[in-house]
Amino acid sequence: MGAASRDHEPPAVPATVAVLLGPVAFYMGLIIPAASTGRHVLLGAVFGVVCVASGWRAIAIARRRRVAVRVWSWIGIVLGGVGLVMLVWQLLVIVTGGAFPAPFWSPYARH
């Protein structure tokens, strides 16, 4: 009874979630539409956070045993993290009314 229980969740499940949600978070951070901005930002933030959290969970479960799981988890974490950064950057541009510089990938950036 006193023994610590081992984690029985397969590490490939959260790694798969991270890899599948990573491109979605990246895409949602790329362009924020003028219509339904709040919903888009909320969904993008949720996808990005779940992507990063599930990637970290897969890495914690896999430890050093499964290299492929760690590689795919890192791919998902990077895509989700970049998506979150792009989303926050564009949100800062919207909230400050253009005082914060527009990102270079935005179609509304002044070059």
Side-chain angles (χ1 to χ4, degrees), residues 5-100:
S5 64
R6 292 181 47 95
D7 204 347
H8 297 292
E9 180 183 9
V13 172
T16 303
V17 170
V19 167
L20 291 177
L21 289 182
V24 175
F26 183 85
Y27 175 74
M28 293 192 86
L30 197 59
I31 302 284
I32 295 180
S36 66
T37 303
R39 183 176 6 155
H40 184 87
V41 168
L42 180 66
L43 283 174
V46 167
F47 285 147
V49 168
V50 169
C51 175
V52 171
S54 62
W56 280 120
R57 177 73 179 144
I59 288 173
I61 294 170
R63 293 188 183 93
R64 298 206 180 270
R65 295 178 303 209
R66 294 174 179 97
V67 176
V69 169
R70 289 185 298 142
V71 168
W72 285 109
S73 297
W74 276 111
I75 290 170
I77 289 171
V78 168
L79 284 174
V82 169
L84 282 173
V85 168
M86 291 189 308
L87 192 69
V88 168
W89 189 341
Q90 292 198 50
L91 192 60
L92 283 172
V93 172
I94 292 170
V95 169
T96 60
F100 196 79

